[in-house]
Every structure is written in structure tokens, then in C-alpha cells.
Amino acid sequence: MRVLITGGSGFVGSHLSDALLAAGHDVHVIDDLSTGSIDNIAHLKPHPNFGYTIDTIFNEQLTAELVDHADVVFHLAAAVGVKLIVERPVHTIECNVHGTEVVLRHASKKKKLVLVASTSEVYGKSTNVPFQEDADLVLGATTRHRWAYACSKMLDEFHALAYHKERQLPAIVFRLFNTVGPRQTGQYGMVLPNFVRQALAGDPITVFGDGTQSRSFTYVGDVVRGLMALMVEPRAIGQVFNIGNVEEVTIRALAERVKAATGSRSEIVTIPYDQAYDAGFEDMPRRVPDLTRIRNLINYEPRVQLDEIIARVVEDVRRH
Ligand code: UDP
């Protein structure tokens, strides 16, 4: 198949490109390098079935052309990372809402299968753990900019599902849960690459809040396997899927495990949320996916667990 990946030189997109090419597909990436990096796809440039365009999906003519040439579109281009989102709320909203609008409109004209990336962030402050796809989504006040990201992604989901219902666009929505692995940058706030970098440098490991909040980290290779299976499963069309891992860890325990895995002497320090992010910042205490739906449909099961994930990220950060 000919696959277009928006945001394909980002962390997840570049791993997806690797896997699709290895499976014999043609891959074309469009990325404006706002958070993605050309280094992520540099190794793919010589591949005969790989192509890329450095431009924005806001370029309608170009996006229309690229969608036209594809059989399937993975729409991953988005503003991501809590730090980036809190610092640049206008960019976040415009990029996530308008960018998706452009992709969906052109995919719809040609009825191309489109898989839209969403996020576990949409569950917001819900305490109804594990999170099931049809459960209520609980967001905070509009003065808390973090929720603009969740809201923009919710609108993307509504939009994709609306195109499916009203205009028969074959669309699939997937919600990612703290995807981690090699190539992920800590620049936009993500916790694991930051902890590993701090531990290896002997710098303080910065736990935000009291560290009792927990997350379920998912290895990027497991995410990519799930996405490739959804792509060829017609029954997935018109549905929303969690893709994650149920192994849960508190952020303090994560800091300790990173410290042990690196043999680091770094001190583990706690930083109040309003210093780490913004006054009045709200975090979610737990975030665990219910995987029943994706398990039942494509037999999805994450294979790489947290200790192995940490080991692979440590190796990657050491190498660079
Ligand atoms: N976090 C932290 N130290 C850091 C970066 C993040 O303690 O240097 C915390 C953050 O407050 C959150 C968790 O780690 O509770 C996961 O943060 P991340 O930004 O990776 O993803 P999120 O789940 O918030 O989208």
C-alpha cells in the first residue's frame, strides 16, 4: 500500500515509517519539522520506497496532492508535549484543529482510509480507571491551557467520526497512552527521556508534584504494531481505540527505576507543578487504558514492559 504519514518525522511517525517500509509498503512523509526532526528519518532517505516533503499540512494544495497519491493516511501531525502545550496554546489549538480539518477534508474527497491520532489526555481528570473508549471525558476549566490540548484532540475525534457518519469517510481514531522509546526527545516535557538524560548527566531527577501520580508507559514498537493491524482491519473503521499498556507506575517509582537502571548518583527532587508548568496546573492522578476493544478486534497485546523500555531508552540516550 501507499501510505502517507503526516508528522512522519516525529517520534511515533518515524518508527511507523520504519515498520511500514519493512513490511513492503511505500511511505511518504509530510512534516514541517516543528517538533519532528529530520534526524529521525535520515536513515530512510536512501530507501527506494520512501519519500518526504518538508512542509505544513496547512498547505492545502500539497496536502490534497499527497492524499491523492496515497491509499492510506496516518494523521500524526500535531502539537504535542505538555510543556509545549502550556507554553504555546494558540499554536496548539490552530495546529490540532485546523491541521486535522485540512487532512480530513481532502481524505474525504477521495474516500481514503485515514487513521487519526488522538490521546489519552482526552480522558482528562476522569477517575474511572481503567479508561474505556466510550466513557465520559472530564476536562478542567478553559483558563487551564493544558485542557486545550485535550479539547483540540476531542474535536479532531468528533470531526473524524462525523466525516465517517455523514460522508462515509473510512476513518479510525486511536488514543495513545504515554508512548515512549528511542528517538523521543525530552524537549517538549516528556518524562522518561528527561529522567534518563538527567540520570546519565548526574543532574537532579525532577519529579513534578509529589510523584504519586501514575502513568502506564507504552513502547513505541507496540504502538506501531497496533496501528499496522488496525490499518488492515475493515471492522476498525468508524471506531475509537485505546492503544497502550496496563502496567502502571508512579512517577516517583519511575525516577527510582531510572536511577537504578543507569547506576546514577543523581538526587531525586520534587518540584511543585506551578513551578514546573504554570500557576494552577492540573495533573491527572492515574491514566490506565482498558484494552478490551483492541484486544478483541486485532488480538493486540503489548510485548515490551517497563524495565525493558527503560533499558532501551537508556541505551538510545547513551548512544546520542
Ligand atoms: N513529569 C515529571 N518530571 C518531568 C516531566 C514530567 O515528574 O521532568 C511528570 C508530569 O508532571 C506527569 C508525568 O510525569 O505527571 C508524565 O508527564 P509527561 O509530560 O511525560 O506526559 P503526560 O502524561 O503528562 O501527558
Side-chain angles (χ1 to χ4, degrees), residues 174-217:
F174 56 94
R175 295 178 180 160
L176 300 181
F177 283 71
N178 292 84
T179 307
V180 288
R183 291 185 204 149
Q184 185 177 39
T185 168
Q187 217 180 328
Y188 308 107
M190 281 75 164
V191 66
L192 186 57
N194 275 311
F195 279 6
V196 170
R197 191 180 37 78
Q198 290 165 341
L200 289 176
D203 293 342
I205 301 177
T206 54
V207 171
F208 299 161
D210 64 6
T212 57
Q213 74 274 29
S214 70
R215 293 294 186 271
S216 307
F217 293 92

Side-chain angles (χ1 to χ4, degrees), residues 84-160:
L84 175 80
I85 280 146
V86 170
E87 283 168 6
R88 299 186 62 198
V90 173
H91 167 78
T92 300
I93 296 167
E94 287 178 354
C95 177
N96 294 1
V97 176
H98 183 53
T100 302
E101 209 174 271
V102 171
V103 170
L104 289 175
R105 186 165 356 103
H106 293 291
S108 177
K109 275 187 191 150
K110 301 290 166 82
K111 299 280 177 284
K112 298 290 173 79
L113 174 62
V114 53
L115 292 95
V116 177
S118 185
T119 166
S120 51
E121 185 89 5
V122 298
Y123 294 105
K125 296 191 281 185
S126 171
T127 50
N128 198 3
V129 177
F131 297 141
Q132 199 275 332
E133 289 91 341
D134 293 333
D136 290 348
L137 308 175
V138 186
L139 302 191
T142 50
T143 45
R144 311 272 193 259
H145 289 299
R146 148 172 228 160
W147 305 118
Y149 173 58
C151 191
S152 70
K153 279 293 170 185
M154 279 170 69
L155 196 57
D156 288 352
E157 294 196 16
F158 276 126
H159 212 164

Side-chain angles (χ1 to χ4, degrees), residues 13 15 35 37 55 79 133 136 168 198 211 214 258-259 300 307 309:
H15 283 277
T35 54
S37 162
D55 207 327
E133 289 91 341
D136 290 348
Q168 293 74 50
Q198 290 165 341
S214 70
V258 167
K259 188 173 162 165
Y300 172 82
D307 282 327
I309 294 174

